[in-house]
């Protein structure tokens, strides 16, 4: 980038500062609800949390309480806000019903993980009793084998009863929820196109009666209970816990669940738990040997009782439609054409919530043109919605349209001079365009602000852009002292340790990360490679064996085991594992040549960067 261009950007920002301010600010609110939305739109998170707390104290309807729990989670934009969020959570939870209390506990566990208190977080999630399963897969909808064919009658596919091993995969394998209560298959396997898995387990409940099977998923899902399909969701959408509440009658005796979970954008996430209809949590028990199954019966499938009751009211007023639309959006149904869209797009331009409705629609948009259009509508409905302006700025910076971004940043500064949003966006702009001195000046100010984590994050981005891994390392270490659950920051720090040759510290960090994220095969593979480099190929085998145990059909693990055994001189084991990897991905020509060469006793080819 030329010096002239950099000077032009600074000059543009200076001229923008001299332009008369014509931004219209939303008028002061008379209620805590309006006060919350005013602070939220200005990016004043601490103040919005306090307004949310005061607003929630007087609430007595479950749907509004459920919505405010989702709003609280959105407000924790910086780790410095976790203590305030926990105090607000206590106030919201005071009037909550049992299922809203479960939601509050998931949020509470998340805040504890950010604070580094994994013991308390794990105890909360254990009490929620998300289930583990046996899994089969991954498969691809792009294929035409028997696993991809639908079951026309909706009954349990016969092949599930007889499947003991096939390609891809290695038969049924156990899979347990991670620390968040989620089964995240993208962390276990390389995902094929349009992936899906089957999940099964047997269980018994303490006593016969009515129960909720509570499901969260990231895409199209079928659920069978005792051999009969009781639920089918044909829509791709985002993941959230406890999206669906499926009410069933469970007689005494053992019961069987089968799930077919499909992917969205090559990602598959699932959560599943059981509760009594009164909200009591149920720890599913393993059935004893023998016993006769009396099939369970479906009563109805829908959403949580609070959300379902609101929808059944079929209210036509815009306030109710906005609330329903927001709940759908927060639950994960904000994708284009999804359930949220019908309600949020119906909010008229003169309604006080129109600007927020258009912002939520924009955040669910996939196409940049749609996102632009919706953000423009949001700021037109309320020019004081600075969060919509911020989204527009981030889009312009991402596309390198600096001259479009600069005036929008100046609007934010004029509208909310005390907010950090202006300084944050200016820092992001100069990280992208230079000069670095301008970025550094603003980053130093952010590090001394009420949210220093923002400064450390942007400081690491600036240093990484300049390949200064030592400085980036220092900023990332500071950031992780404030947020102990920032996976992206951990991975960036790991890269810094590797780039500076500090493999011992990289290995120590990986051991810590595997404890935090035990279902990540990628972390285990990376740790094994570092151990192999530092100690030797034999030392990498325990880590690779542990990875294979949680993901027995992972071709990357099988390939790594084959390569390690070959380096150790164990030719037969090397051939065995490479053959298993090739059975899963026969198109890997480099690995096929490697196998032919070691069979002939020749020197293998150099490994490509990525296979």
């Amino acid at each position: 980038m030329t010096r002239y261009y950099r000077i032009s950007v600074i000059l543009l920002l200076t001229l923008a500062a001299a332009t008369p301010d014509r931004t219209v600010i939303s008028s002061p609110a008379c209620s805590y609800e309006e006060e919350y939305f005013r602070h939220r739109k200005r990016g004043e998170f601490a103040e919005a949390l306090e307004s949310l707390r005061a607003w929630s104290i007087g609430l007595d309807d479950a749907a509004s309480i459920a919505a405010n729990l989702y709003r609280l989670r959105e407000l924790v934009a910086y780790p410095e806000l976790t203590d305030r969020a926990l105090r607000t959570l206590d106030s919201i939870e005071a009037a909550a019903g049992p299922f809203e209390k479960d939601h509050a506990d998931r949020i509470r566990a998340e805040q504890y993980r950010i604070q580094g208190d994994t013991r308390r977080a794990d105890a909360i999630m254990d009490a929620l009793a998300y289930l583990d399963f046996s899994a089969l897969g991954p498969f691809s909808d792009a294929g035409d084998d028997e696993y991809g064919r639908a079951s026309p009658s909706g009954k349990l596919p016969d092949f599930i009863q007889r499947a003991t091993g096939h390609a891809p995969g290695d038969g049924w394998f156990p899979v347990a929820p991670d620390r968040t209560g989620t089964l995240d298959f993208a962390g276990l396997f390389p995902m094929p196109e349009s992936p899906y898995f089957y999940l099964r387990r047997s269980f018994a409940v303490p006593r016969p009666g009515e129960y909720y099977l509570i499901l969260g998923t990231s895409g199209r899902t079928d659920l069978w209970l005792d051999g009969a399909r009781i639920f089918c969701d044909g829509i791709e959408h985002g993941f959230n816990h406890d999206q669906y509440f499926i009410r069933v009658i469970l007689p005494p005796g053992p019961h069987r669940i089968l799930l077919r979970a499909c992917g969205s954008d090559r990602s598959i996430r699932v959560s599943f738990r059981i509760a009594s209809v009164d909200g009591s949590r149920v720890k599913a028990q393993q059935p004893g040997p023998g016993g006769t199954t009396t099939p369970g019966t479906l009563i109805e499938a829908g959403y949580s009782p609070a959300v379902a009751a609101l929808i059944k009211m079929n209210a036509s007023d815009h306030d109710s439609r906005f609330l329903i639309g927001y709940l759908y959006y927060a639950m994960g149904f904000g994708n284009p054409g999804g359930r949220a869209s019908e309600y949020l797009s119906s909010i008229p331009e003169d309604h006080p919530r129109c600007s927020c409705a258009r912002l939520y629609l924009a955040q669910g948009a996939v196409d940049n043109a749609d996102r632009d259009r919706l953000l423009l509508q949001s700021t037109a409905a309320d020019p004081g919605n600075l969060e919509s302006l911020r989204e527009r700025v981030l889009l312009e910076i991402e596309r390198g349209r600096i001259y479009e971004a600069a005036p929008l940043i100046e609007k934010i500064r004029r509208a909310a001079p005390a907010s950090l949003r202006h300084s944050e966006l200016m820092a992001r702009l100069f990280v992208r365009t230079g000069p670095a001195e301008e970025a550094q000046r603003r980053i130093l100010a952010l590090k001394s602000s009420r949210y220093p984590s923002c400064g450390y994050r942007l400081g690491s981005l600036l240093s990484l852009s300049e390949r200064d891994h030592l400085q980036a390392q220092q900023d990332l270490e500071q950031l992780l002292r404030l947020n102990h659950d920032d996976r992206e920051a951990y991975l960036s720090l790991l890269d810094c340790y590797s780039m500076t040759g500090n493999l011992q510290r990289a290995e120590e960090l990986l051991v810590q990360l595997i404890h935090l994220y035990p279902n990540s095969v990628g972390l285990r593979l990376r740790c094994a490679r570092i151990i192999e480099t530092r100690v030797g190929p034999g030392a990498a085998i325990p880590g690779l064996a542990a990875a294979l145990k949680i993901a027995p059909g992972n071709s990357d693990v099988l390939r790594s085991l084959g390569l390690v055994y070959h380096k150790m001189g164990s030719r037969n084991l090397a051939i065995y594992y490479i053959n298993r990897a090739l059975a899963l991905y026969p198109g890997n020509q480099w690995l096929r040549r490697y196998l032919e060469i070691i069979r002939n006793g020749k020197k293998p080819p150099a490994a490509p960067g990525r296979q």
Side-chain angles (χ1 to χ4, degrees):
M1 183 174 295
T2 66
R3 181 172 177 270
Y4 172 77
Y5 180 75
R6 293 173 176 172
I7 293 172
S8 297
V9 171
I10 299 172
L11 179 60
L12 175 65
L13 294 167
T14 304
L15 291 172
T19 304
D21 182 17
R22 293 185 173 88
T23 301
V24 178
I25 304 301
S26 304
S27 58
C30 300
S31 70
Y32 288 123
E33 178 180 356
E34 293 301 324
E35 188 178 88
Y36 159 78
F37 278 104
R38 187 174 72 251
H39 288 308
R40 179 70 180 88
K41 288 187 287 189
R42 292 165 64 88
E44 297 166 347
F45 298 106
E47 294 80 3
L49 278 167
E50 179 55 32
S51 298
L52 188 69
R53 184 197 65 78
W55 172 19
S56 301
I57 289 173
L59 289 178
D60 58 2
D61 70 288
S64 294
I65 291 171
N68 281 5
L69 286 168
Y70 285 115
R71 288 172 176 135
L72 182 148
R73 190 171 181 270
E74 292 175 0
L75 291 175
V76 191
Y78 307 106
E80 293 87 348
L81 290 166
T82 53
D83 284 333
R84 189 185 294 265
L86 287 168
R87 291 193 297 271
T88 303
L89 189 61
D90 291 339
S91 298
I92 298 176
E93 191 180 17
F99 296 114
E100 287 68 53
K101 288 183 184 292
D102 292 345
H103 187 183
D105 269 349
R106 290 199 306 274
I107 297 172
R108 184 173 286 108
E110 185 176 40
Q111 306 314 304
Y112 287 149
R113 286 193 296 272
I114 291 172
Q115 294 178 341
D117 193 344
T118 55
R119 181 185 59 80
R120 281 206 286 183
D122 289 349
I124 289 171
M125 296 308 300
D126 288 346
L128 286 166
Y130 285 97
L131 295 184
D132 54 5
F133 285 86
S134 294
L136 188 68
F139 306 105
S140 173
D141 265 343
D144 58 357
D145 58 23
E146 63 177 331
Y147 300 101
R149 290 198 290 267
S151 177
S153 65
K155 293 185 177 181
L156 183 69
D158 290 339
F159 77 85
I160 289 295
Q161 303 295 347
R162 55 184 167 80
T164 56
H166 62 282
D170 193 31
W172 295 96
F173 61 94
V175 59
D178 61 20
R179 280 196 145 87
T180 70
T182 307
L183 304 171
D184 187 352
F185 288 96
L188 293 172
F189 295 94
M191 289 289 107
E193 182 182 354
S194 303
Y196 65 95
F197 285 81
Y198 285 98
L199 309 175
R200 74 176 183 186
R201 73 163 288 155
S202 299
F203 71 97
V205 290
R207 61 189 64 83
E210 293 187 14
Y211 291 89
Y212 282 118
L213 307 180
I214 305 176
L215 172 68
T217 178
S218 59
R220 294 168 289 119
T221 305
D222 295 286
L223 172 64
W224 288 265
L225 174 64
D226 297 326
R229 185 161 60 186
I230 62 169
F231 177 77
C232 178
D233 173 18
I235 301 172
E236 291 190 2
H237 51 73
F239 171 79
N240 213 327
H241 295 85
D242 297 11
Q243 289 169 316
Y244 298 108
F245 281 63
I246 303 155
R247 190 166 182 168
V248 296
I249 297 174
L250 296 178
H255 297 282
R256 293 175 297 128
I257 295 171
L258 176 74
L259 269 166
R260 182 179 186 264
C262 301
S264 176
D265 296 327
R266 298 199 174 194
S267 172
I268 300 181
R269 289 191 286 175
V270 176
S271 67
F272 196 100
R273 66 188 183 97
I274 303 173
S276 299
V277 291
D278 65 0
S280 303
R281 300 168 182 177
V282 173
K283 282 189 176 290
Q285 304 165 354
Q286 285 292 344
T292 303
T293 296
T294 303
T297 307
L298 172 68
I299 299 176
E300 62 178 348
Y303 308 107
S304 71
V307 176
L310 177 65
I311 295 170
K312 286 178 181 178
M313 288 172 58
N314 198 27
S316 59
D317 65 284
H318 297 308
D319 288 342
S320 296
R321 291 183 68 80
F322 174 77
L323 179 58
I324 294 171
Y326 173 74
L327 283 166
Y328 274 139
Y329 158 80
M331 289 163 59
F333 303 119
N335 49 302
R339 296 181 178 99
S341 178
E342 173 189 351
Y343 291 89
L344 294 175
S345 59
S346 72
I347 307 303
E349 293 180 5
D350 59 350
H351 192 274
R353 301 289 176 263
C354 175
S355 180
C356 292
R358 298 301 185 270
L359 174 58
Y360 299 143
L361 289 169
Q363 289 173 333
V366 175
D367 183 75
N368 275 342
D370 288 339
R371 189 177 293 117
D372 278 336
R373 174 178 55 81
L374 290 163
L375 288 173
L376 285 169
Q377 291 177 5
S378 177
T379 51
D382 183 359
N385 192 339
L386 306 186
E387 288 299 279
S388 294
L389 275 176
R390 176 179 183 270
E391 291 295 317
R392 288 175 59 191
V393 170
L394 292 175
L395 271 177
E396 303 295 8
I397 292 176
E398 180 183 337
R399 292 182 290 201
R401 295 167 58 173
I402 308 308
Y403 289 100
E404 288 80 358
L408 298 177
I409 297 175
E410 180 57 24
K411 281 187 178 181
I412 293 174
R413 186 193 69 80
R414 287 179 172 275
S419 172
L420 285 185
R421 287 309 207 193
H422 165 261
S423 298
E424 173 209 346
L425 291 170
M426 287 294 292
R428 288 186 183 276
L429 177 68
F430 285 119
V431 167
R432 175 68 183 265
T433 68
E437 295 79 11
E438 290 293 328
Q440 189 61 49
R441 181 165 65 86
R442 287 162 175 82
I443 287 168
L444 288 174
L446 288 168
K447 289 179 180 179
S448 301
S449 70
R450 67 197 297 193
Y451 304 125
S453 61
C454 182
Y456 292 125
R457 185 182 305 281
L458 293 173
S460 69
L461 292 177
L462 176 63
S463 298
L464 288 172
S465 71
E466 298 184 317
R467 302 186 182 277
D468 186 349
H469 294 96
L470 284 173
Q471 181 58 52
Q473 173 183 317
Q474 294 175 23
D475 281 332
L476 289 165
E477 287 172 343
Q478 290 288 349
L479 174 59
L480 289 165
R481 290 187 181 98
L482 296 169
N483 185 348
H484 296 263
D485 195 33
D486 190 329
R487 188 167 180 168
E488 182 181 340
Y490 278 123
L491 293 177
S492 295
L493 180 59
L494 188 60
D495 289 338
C496 290
Y497 288 147
S498 299
M499 293 299 294
T500 56
N502 195 346
L503 295 186
Q504 180 177 347
R505 187 67 189 96
E507 181 184 339
E508 292 169 354
L509 179 60
L510 277 163
V511 170
Q512 177 187 348
L513 291 180
I514 290 168
H515 174 70
L516 288 174
Y517 311 109
N519 289 355
S520 172
V521 169
L523 291 174
R524 294 175 184 270
L525 284 170
R526 194 164 180 177
C527 189
R529 286 195 294 269
I530 289 177
I531 290 173
E532 179 185 348
T533 301
R534 293 189 64 236
V535 184
I541 289 177
L544 292 173
L548 191 63
K549 184 176 181 180
I550 64 172
N554 188 306
S555 61
D556 292 336
V557 179
L558 293 167
R559 180 193 62 181
S560 297
L561 278 165
L563 300 184
V564 163
Y565 276 119
H566 180 245
K567 291 172 185 176
M568 293 173 61
S570 300
R571 179 175 175 273
N572 291 338
L573 281 173
I575 292 172
Y576 169 75
Y577 282 109
I578 291 174
N579 268 326
R580 286 182 62 186
L582 282 170
L584 295 171
Y585 288 97
N588 190 326
Q589 296 303 317
W590 178 86
L591 197 58
R592 189 170 298 282
R593 289 197 303 272
Y594 191 106
L595 180 61
E596 292 173 357
I597 289 171
I598 62 174
R599 276 177 170 163
N600 297 327
K602 298 179 181 179
K603 184 178 179 181
R610 285 178 181 244
Q611 282 286 338

